[in-house]
């Protein structure tokens, strides 16, 4: 996969997503609206240490991979 695009939901849910679609058209509308937050070129690591091959498999299968960053427990 050449480029993975990153998105964040703007509905306050804290959801983020990866997709190969720069417009975010493959992302589930019920969790949006979505804001494009960046792009990760081929061969580059994804943010927060997420496994690129797992995300690429999810994108190939479902069109996207959603995730939520967990806050560290105090």
């Amino acid at each position: 996969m050449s480029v993975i695009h990153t998105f964040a939901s703007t509905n306050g849910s804290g959801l983020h997503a990866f997709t190969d679609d720069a417009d975010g058209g493959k992302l589930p509308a019920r969790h949006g609206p979505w804001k494009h937050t960046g792009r990760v070129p081929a061969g580059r690591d994804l943010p927060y240490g997420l496994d690129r091959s797992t995300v690429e498999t999810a994108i190939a299968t479902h069109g996207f991979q959603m995730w939520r960053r967990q806050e560290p427990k105090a």
Side-chain angles (χ1 to χ4, degrees), residues 16-56:
H16 298 268
F18 298 113
T19 185
D20 60 354
D21 172 24
D23 295 327
K26 295 180 180 180
L27 299 174
R30 71 178 182 269
H31 295 297
W34 294 96
K35 178 182 176 186
H36 189 267
T37 57
R39 56 192 299 274
V40 183
R44 288 290 193 67
D45 291 337
L46 295 176
Y48 306 107
L50 297 168
D51 182 63
R52 187 174 181 116
S53 65
T54 300
V55 170
E56 287 179 347

